[in-house]
Amino acid sequence: DTAVSQTPKYLVTQMGNDKSIKCEQNLGHDTMYWYKQDSKKFLKIMFSYNNKELIINETVPNRFSPKSPDKAHLNLHINSLELGDSAVYFCASTPEGGDTQYFGPGTRLTVL
Amino acid sequence: AQSVTQLGSHVSVSEGALVLLRCNYSSSVPPYLFWYVQYPNQGLQLLLKYTSAATLVKGINGFEAEFKKSETSFHLTKPSAHMSDAAEYFCAVSPAPYGQNFVFGPGTRLSVLP
């Protein structure tokens, strides 16, 4: 069973398009995250979200928005894609009070 | 605020040799420290963590790390490298055991030479 899954695994799109990446966790965790990993492998947290609050990294452009239809899902919507958005995006989750993050396999986004 | 530095973006060792990956942190509160490994084209996987218990922490795949408060370090070691250890390794710091404020280091790529 896949604990944290992401779809799609690869996403190639044109500048200016709007796209979404889906994340689902079947671990019963309360908090989910989105990370961006750039071409130099540097990981930066974008959002953390549980059913109580959304915490946004202030450096993330407002073209990026997380949407959580339920506790097990945290999707990432990106509007007006730019070349600099090309990266690998990772979803992760932690249980309530937990200290270990469980990562999904990543989605490689390429903006042409 | 927390921050993490990892000395050496790329480390090469021979198979069977000692692995030492360095991590130094800064934190305004007692830190929780983690090492994650990322194999090619995969997500991150927890290797080990320090959460204010024993300062020498043992993880999976024969890795261990020692928390040294005086040196603000949490270096990762393994006595004998295997080819399968080749991966990217990330050190991370968090101000709390529940990780909404993880800060990852820039990563160190480990190559293992035959």
Side-chain angles (χ1 to χ4, degrees), chain A residues 31 33 35 37 40-43 45 48 50 53 55 90 97-101 103-105, chain B residues 34 36 38 41-46 49 51 88 90 96-100 102 104-106:
Chain A
T31 305
Y33 311 81
Y35 285 87
Q37 186 177 45
K40 296 184 179 181
K41 301 283 188 179
F42 185 65
L43 268 167
I45 189 166
S48 69
N50 62 21
E53 65 179 334
I55 300 174
F90 288 99
D99 56 19
T100 300
Q101 295 186 71
F103 282 81
Chain B
F34 306 80
Y36 281 81
Q38 184 181 25
N41 300 313
Q42 295 186 27
L44 279 74
Q45 177 183 358
L46 180 69
K49 59 186 176 185
T51 55
E88 194 87 21
F90 294 90
Y98 32 93
Q100 292 195 9
F102 263 69
F104 281 90

Short mmCIF file of all heavy atoms in Angstrom, two decimals, chain A residues 31 33 35 37 40-43 45 48 50 53 55 90 97-101 103-105, chain B residues 34 36 38 41-46 49 51 88 90 96-100 102 104-106:
data_model
loop_
_atom_site.label_atom_id
_atom_site.label_comp_id
_atom_site.label_asym_id
_atom_site.label_seq_id
_atom_site.Cartn_x
_atom_site.Cartn_y
_atom_site.Cartn_z
N THR A 31 -1.68 16.37 9.45
CA THR A 31 -1.03 17.51 8.83
C THR A 31 -0.37 17.09 7.52
O THR A 31 0.28 16.04 7.46
CB THR A 31 0.03 18.12 9.76
OG1 THR A 31 -0.58 18.44 11.02
CG2 THR A 31 0.62 19.38 9.16
N TYR A 33 1.81 18.60 3.87
CA TYR A 33 2.74 19.64 3.44
C TYR A 33 2.96 19.55 1.94
O TYR A 33 2.82 18.49 1.34
CB TYR A 33 4.12 19.44 4.11
CG TYR A 33 4.09 19.22 5.59
CD1 TYR A 33 3.81 17.97 6.12
CD2 TYR A 33 4.37 20.26 6.47
CE1 TYR A 33 3.80 17.75 7.49
CE2 TYR A 33 4.37 20.05 7.84
CZ TYR A 33 4.08 18.79 8.34
OH TYR A 33 4.06 18.58 9.69
N TYR A 35 6.25 20.64 -0.59
CA TYR A 35 7.61 21.12 -0.72
C TYR A 35 7.95 21.30 -2.19
O TYR A 35 7.46 20.56 -3.04
CB TYR A 35 8.61 20.10 -0.13
CG TYR A 35 8.68 20.04 1.36
CD1 TYR A 35 7.82 19.22 2.08
CD2 TYR A 35 9.61 20.78 2.07
CE1 TYR A 35 7.89 19.14 3.46
CE2 TYR A 35 9.70 20.71 3.45
CZ TYR A 35 8.83 19.88 4.13
OH TYR A 35 8.90 19.82 5.49
N GLN A 37 11.34 21.19 -4.63
CA GLN A 37 12.76 20.87 -4.71
C GLN A 37 13.28 21.37 -6.04
O GLN A 37 12.85 20.91 -7.11
CB GLN A 37 13.00 19.37 -4.57
CG GLN A 37 14.47 19.00 -4.51
CD GLN A 37 14.71 17.51 -4.30
OE1 GLN A 37 14.08 16.68 -4.94
NE2 GLN A 37 15.62 17.18 -3.39
N LYS A 40 18.81 22.26 -7.94
CA LYS A 40 19.98 22.03 -7.10
C LYS A 40 19.65 21.19 -5.87
O LYS A 40 20.44 21.09 -4.93
CB LYS A 40 20.59 23.37 -6.66
CG LYS A 40 21.12 24.19 -7.83
CD LYS A 40 21.80 25.45 -7.37
CE LYS A 40 22.34 26.23 -8.56
NZ LYS A 40 23.03 27.47 -8.16
N LYS A 41 18.49 20.56 -5.89
CA LYS A 41 18.05 19.65 -4.83
C LYS A 41 17.66 20.37 -3.53
O LYS A 41 17.43 19.71 -2.53
CB LYS A 41 19.11 18.59 -4.51
CG LYS A 41 19.49 17.73 -5.69
CD LYS A 41 18.43 16.69 -5.95
CE LYS A 41 18.89 15.69 -7.01
NZ LYS A 41 17.86 14.66 -7.26
N PHE A 42 17.60 21.70 -3.57
CA PHE A 42 17.25 22.41 -2.36
C PHE A 42 15.76 22.29 -2.10
O PHE A 42 14.94 22.60 -2.98
CB PHE A 42 17.66 23.87 -2.46
CG PHE A 42 17.44 24.64 -1.20
CD1 PHE A 42 18.16 24.33 -0.05
CD2 PHE A 42 16.52 25.66 -1.15
CE1 PHE A 42 17.96 25.03 1.13
CE2 PHE A 42 16.31 26.36 0.03
CZ PHE A 42 17.02 26.06 1.16
N LEU A 43 15.40 21.85 -0.89
CA LEU A 43 14.00 21.64 -0.51
C LEU A 43 13.47 22.82 0.26
O LEU A 43 14.05 23.22 1.27
CB LEU A 43 13.90 20.42 0.39
CG LEU A 43 13.63 19.07 -0.24
CD1 LEU A 43 13.88 17.98 0.76
CD2 LEU A 43 12.19 18.99 -0.73
N ILE A 45 9.90 24.36 2.08
CA ILE A 45 8.50 24.11 2.41
C ILE A 45 7.64 25.23 1.82
O ILE A 45 8.01 26.40 1.88
CB ILE A 45 8.29 23.97 3.93
CG1 ILE A 45 6.87 23.49 4.23
CG2 ILE A 45 8.60 25.27 4.65
CD1 ILE A 45 6.69 23.01 5.65
N SER A 48 2.01 24.18 4.98
CA SER A 48 1.62 23.09 5.86
C SER A 48 0.15 23.32 6.19
O SER A 48 -0.30 24.47 6.29
CB SER A 48 2.46 23.02 7.12
OG SER A 48 2.18 24.12 7.96
N ASN A 50 -3.40 21.59 8.28
CA ASN A 50 -4.23 20.58 8.91
C ASN A 50 -5.65 21.13 8.99
O ASN A 50 -5.94 22.18 8.43
CB ASN A 50 -3.67 20.15 10.27
CG ASN A 50 -3.62 21.29 11.25
OD1 ASN A 50 -4.33 22.29 11.10
ND2 ASN A 50 -2.79 21.15 12.26
N GLU A 53 -5.54 24.87 10.53
CA GLU A 53 -4.93 26.06 9.96
C GLU A 53 -4.05 25.75 8.76
O GLU A 53 -3.51 24.66 8.61
CB GLU A 53 -4.11 26.79 11.02
CG GLU A 53 -2.92 26.04 11.53
CD GLU A 53 -2.13 26.84 12.55
OE1 GLU A 53 -2.18 28.08 12.50
OE2 GLU A 53 -1.46 26.22 13.39
N ILE A 55 -0.70 27.17 6.97
CA ILE A 55 0.47 28.01 7.16
C ILE A 55 1.18 28.12 5.82
O ILE A 55 1.53 27.11 5.21
CB ILE A 55 1.42 27.43 8.22
CG1 ILE A 55 0.68 27.32 9.55
CG2 ILE A 55 2.66 28.31 8.37
CD1 ILE A 55 1.48 26.63 10.64
N PHE A 90 7.02 17.81 -3.78
CA PHE A 90 6.78 16.69 -2.88
C PHE A 90 5.67 17.02 -1.90
O PHE A 90 5.64 18.10 -1.31
CB PHE A 90 8.04 16.35 -2.07
CG PHE A 90 9.12 15.70 -2.86
CD1 PHE A 90 10.18 16.43 -3.33
CD2 PHE A 90 9.07 14.33 -3.12
CE1 PHE A 90 11.19 15.82 -4.07
CE2 PHE A 90 10.07 13.72 -3.86
CZ PHE A 90 11.13 14.46 -4.33
N GLY A 97 0.93 15.43 16.58
CA GLY A 97 1.99 15.32 17.57
C GLY A 97 3.20 14.54 17.11
O GLY A 97 4.15 14.35 17.87
N GLY A 98 3.21 14.10 15.87
CA GLY A 98 4.32 13.30 15.36
C GLY A 98 5.48 14.16 14.89
O GLY A 98 5.32 15.35 14.64
N ASP A 99 6.64 13.56 14.79
CA ASP A 99 7.81 14.30 14.39
C ASP A 99 8.46 13.76 13.13
O ASP A 99 9.54 14.21 12.76
CB ASP A 99 8.84 14.30 15.52
CG ASP A 99 9.22 12.89 15.96
OD1 ASP A 99 8.98 11.93 15.19
OD2 ASP A 99 9.75 12.74 17.07
N THR A 100 7.84 12.83 12.48
CA THR A 100 8.40 12.27 11.26
C THR A 100 7.49 12.58 10.09
O THR A 100 6.28 12.37 10.16
CB THR A 100 8.56 10.74 11.39
OG1 THR A 100 9.42 10.45 12.49
CG2 THR A 100 9.15 10.15 10.11
N GLN A 101 8.08 13.08 9.05
CA GLN A 101 7.32 13.35 7.84
C GLN A 101 7.43 12.16 6.89
O GLN A 101 8.51 11.60 6.71
CB GLN A 101 7.83 14.60 7.15
CG GLN A 101 7.62 15.84 7.98
CD GLN A 101 7.98 17.10 7.24
OE1 GLN A 101 7.29 17.52 6.32
NE2 GLN A 101 9.06 17.72 7.64
N PHE A 103 6.99 11.14 3.03
CA PHE A 103 6.98 11.83 1.76
C PHE A 103 6.37 10.98 0.65
O PHE A 103 6.54 9.76 0.62
CB PHE A 103 8.41 12.21 1.35
CG PHE A 103 8.93 13.41 2.08
CD1 PHE A 103 9.44 13.30 3.36
CD2 PHE A 103 8.92 14.65 1.47
CE1 PHE A 103 9.91 14.42 4.04
CE2 PHE A 103 9.40 15.78 2.13
CZ PHE A 103 9.90 15.66 3.41
N GLY A 104 5.73 11.69 -0.27
CA GLY A 104 5.31 11.06 -1.50
C GLY A 104 6.48 10.94 -2.45
O GLY A 104 7.57 11.44 -2.18
N PRO A 105 6.26 10.30 -3.59
CA PRO A 105 7.35 10.06 -4.55
C PRO A 105 7.73 11.26 -5.39
O PRO A 105 8.74 11.22 -6.10
CB PRO A 105 6.78 8.95 -5.43
CG PRO A 105 5.31 9.15 -5.37
CD PRO A 105 5.01 9.66 -3.99
N PHE B 34 17.05 15.71 12.22
CA PHE B 34 16.68 14.57 11.39
C PHE B 34 17.68 14.41 10.25
O PHE B 34 18.27 15.38 9.78
CB PHE B 34 15.29 14.81 10.76
CG PHE B 34 14.21 15.14 11.76
CD1 PHE B 34 14.08 16.43 12.26
CD2 PHE B 34 13.32 14.16 12.18
CE1 PHE B 34 13.09 16.74 13.18
CE2 PHE B 34 12.32 14.47 13.10
CZ PHE B 34 12.21 15.76 13.59
N TYR B 36 17.38 12.63 6.45
CA TYR B 36 16.56 11.96 5.45
C TYR B 36 17.45 11.55 4.28
O TYR B 36 18.43 12.23 3.97
CB TYR B 36 15.46 12.89 4.93
CG TYR B 36 14.26 13.03 5.84
CD1 TYR B 36 14.29 13.89 6.94
CD2 TYR B 36 13.09 12.31 5.61
CE1 TYR B 36 13.18 14.03 7.77
CE2 TYR B 36 11.98 12.44 6.43
CZ TYR B 36 12.04 13.30 7.50
OH TYR B 36 10.94 13.43 8.33
N GLN B 38 17.36 10.44 0.09
CA GLN B 38 16.57 10.44 -1.14
C GLN B 38 17.32 9.65 -2.19
O GLN B 38 18.38 10.07 -2.66
CB GLN B 38 16.33 11.87 -1.63
CG GLN B 38 15.44 11.94 -2.85
CD GLN B 38 15.22 13.36 -3.34
OE1 GLN B 38 16.03 14.26 -3.10
NE2 GLN B 38 14.11 13.59 -4.03
N ASN B 41 15.15 9.53 -8.05
CA ASN B 41 13.76 9.52 -8.54
C ASN B 41 12.76 9.02 -7.49
O ASN B 41 11.71 8.48 -7.84
CB ASN B 41 13.64 8.67 -9.81
CG ASN B 41 14.51 9.22 -10.93
OD1 ASN B 41 14.51 10.41 -11.19
ND2 ASN B 41 15.28 8.34 -11.55
N GLN B 42 13.10 9.19 -6.24
CA GLN B 42 12.19 8.80 -5.17
C GLN B 42 11.98 9.95 -4.19
O GLN B 42 12.70 10.96 -4.23
CB GLN B 42 12.74 7.58 -4.43
CG GLN B 42 12.81 6.32 -5.26
CD GLN B 42 13.21 5.12 -4.43
OE1 GLN B 42 12.96 5.07 -3.23
NE2 GLN B 42 13.82 4.15 -5.07
N GLY B 43 11.01 9.78 -3.32
CA GLY B 43 10.78 10.74 -2.25
C GLY B 43 11.76 10.55 -1.11
O GLY B 43 12.61 9.65 -1.14
N LEU B 44 11.67 11.40 -0.11
CA LEU B 44 12.58 11.33 1.02
C LEU B 44 12.12 10.28 2.01
O LEU B 44 10.92 10.07 2.23
CB LEU B 44 12.67 12.69 1.71
CG LEU B 44 13.58 13.71 1.08
CD1 LEU B 44 12.97 14.27 -0.18
CD2 LEU B 44 13.90 14.83 2.06
N GLN B 45 13.09 9.65 2.65
CA GLN B 45 12.81 8.60 3.63
C GLN B 45 13.61 8.92 4.89
O GLN B 45 14.79 9.27 4.81
CB GLN B 45 13.24 7.26 3.05
CG GLN B 45 13.08 6.07 3.98
CD GLN B 45 13.60 4.80 3.35
OE1 GLN B 45 14.06 4.79 2.21
NE2 GLN B 45 13.54 3.71 4.09
N LEU B 46 12.98 8.81 6.04
CA LEU B 46 13.66 9.11 7.29
C LEU B 46 14.72 8.06 7.59
O LEU B 46 14.46 6.87 7.58
CB LEU B 46 12.66 9.16 8.44
CG LEU B 46 13.24 9.47 9.81
CD1 LEU B 46 13.73 10.92 9.87
CD2 LEU B 46 12.22 9.22 10.91
N LYS B 49 16.46 10.17 13.73
CA LYS B 49 16.05 11.46 14.29
C LYS B 49 16.54 11.58 15.73
O LYS B 49 16.66 10.58 16.44
CB LYS B 49 14.53 11.61 14.25
CG LYS B 49 13.78 10.53 15.01
CD LYS B 49 12.28 10.65 14.81
CE LYS B 49 11.54 9.50 15.52
NZ LYS B 49 10.09 9.53 15.25
N THR B 51 15.45 13.48 19.16
CA THR B 51 14.34 14.23 19.75
C THR B 51 14.51 14.36 21.25
O THR B 51 13.60 14.13 22.03
CB THR B 51 13.00 13.53 19.44
OG1 THR B 51 13.07 12.17 19.90
CG2 THR B 51 12.70 13.54 17.96
N GLU B 88 21.13 11.03 -2.12
CA GLU B 88 21.22 12.39 -1.60
C GLU B 88 20.78 12.34 -0.14
O GLU B 88 19.76 11.72 0.18
CB GLU B 88 20.28 13.30 -2.40
CG GLU B 88 20.49 14.77 -2.19
CD GLU B 88 21.57 15.35 -3.12
OE1 GLU B 88 21.86 14.74 -4.15
OE2 GLU B 88 22.10 16.43 -2.78
N PHE B 90 19.83 14.53 3.35
CA PHE B 90 19.39 15.83 3.83
C PHE B 90 19.32 15.84 5.35
O PHE B 90 18.69 14.97 5.95
CB PHE B 90 18.01 16.18 3.28
CG PHE B 90 17.96 16.38 1.80
CD1 PHE B 90 17.70 15.32 0.95
CD2 PHE B 90 18.20 17.64 1.26
CE1 PHE B 90 17.65 15.50 -0.41
CE2 PHE B 90 18.16 17.82 -0.12
CZ PHE B 90 17.88 16.75 -0.95
N ALA B 96 10.19 21.86 17.05
CA ALA B 96 9.21 21.11 17.83
C ALA B 96 9.16 19.68 17.32
O ALA B 96 9.54 19.42 16.19
CB ALA B 96 7.83 21.76 17.71
N PRO B 97 8.68 18.75 18.15
CA PRO B 97 8.61 17.36 17.69
C PRO B 97 7.61 17.16 16.58
O PRO B 97 7.71 16.22 15.81
CB PRO B 97 8.21 16.59 18.95
CG PRO B 97 7.62 17.60 19.86
CD PRO B 97 8.31 18.90 19.56
N TYR B 98 6.63 18.03 16.47
CA TYR B 98 5.68 17.93 15.36
C TYR B 98 6.11 18.96 14.33
O TYR B 98 6.30 20.12 14.61
CB TYR B 98 4.24 18.17 15.82
CG TYR B 98 4.10 19.13 16.95
CD1 TYR B 98 3.88 20.47 16.74
CD2 TYR B 98 4.16 18.68 18.27
CE1 TYR B 98 3.75 21.34 17.80
CE2 TYR B 98 4.03 19.54 19.33
CZ TYR B 98 3.82 20.88 19.08
OH TYR B 98 3.70 21.74 20.13
N GLY B 99 6.28 18.45 13.12
CA GLY B 99 7.13 19.16 12.17
C GLY B 99 6.46 20.11 11.21
O GLY B 99 6.55 19.95 10.01
N GLN B 100 5.84 21.15 11.71
CA GLN B 100 5.28 22.12 10.77
C GLN B 100 6.31 23.15 10.33
O GLN B 100 6.04 23.94 9.45
CB GLN B 100 4.09 22.85 11.41
CG GLN B 100 2.89 21.94 11.64
CD GLN B 100 1.64 22.72 11.93
OE1 GLN B 100 1.60 23.93 11.81
NE2 GLN B 100 0.59 22.03 12.33
N PHE B 102 9.78 22.45 9.62
CA PHE B 102 11.02 21.81 9.20
C PHE B 102 11.83 22.75 8.33
O PHE B 102 11.29 23.42 7.45
CB PHE B 102 10.70 20.57 8.36
CG PHE B 102 10.73 19.29 9.12
CD1 PHE B 102 9.77 19.02 10.07
CD2 PHE B 102 11.71 18.35 8.88
CE1 PHE B 102 9.78 17.83 10.77
CE2 PHE B 102 11.74 17.16 9.57
CZ PHE B 102 10.77 16.89 10.52
N PHE B 104 15.15 22.18 5.92
CA PHE B 104 16.09 21.22 5.38
C PHE B 104 17.39 21.90 5.00
O PHE B 104 17.40 23.06 4.55
CB PHE B 104 15.50 20.54 4.14
CG PHE B 104 14.53 19.45 4.45
CD1 PHE B 104 13.18 19.73 4.57
CD2 PHE B 104 14.95 18.14 4.61
CE1 PHE B 104 12.27 18.71 4.85
CE2 PHE B 104 14.05 17.12 4.90
CZ PHE B 104 12.70 17.42 5.02
N GLY B 105 18.47 21.17 5.13
CA GLY B 105 19.75 21.62 4.61
C GLY B 105 19.78 21.44 3.11
O GLY B 105 18.86 20.87 2.52
N PRO B 106 20.83 21.89 2.47
CA PRO B 106 20.92 21.84 1.00
C PRO B 106 21.21 20.47 0.43
O PRO B 106 21.14 20.29 -0.78
CB PRO B 106 22.08 22.80 0.70
CG PRO B 106 22.92 22.76 1.92
CD PRO B 106 21.98 22.60 3.08
#
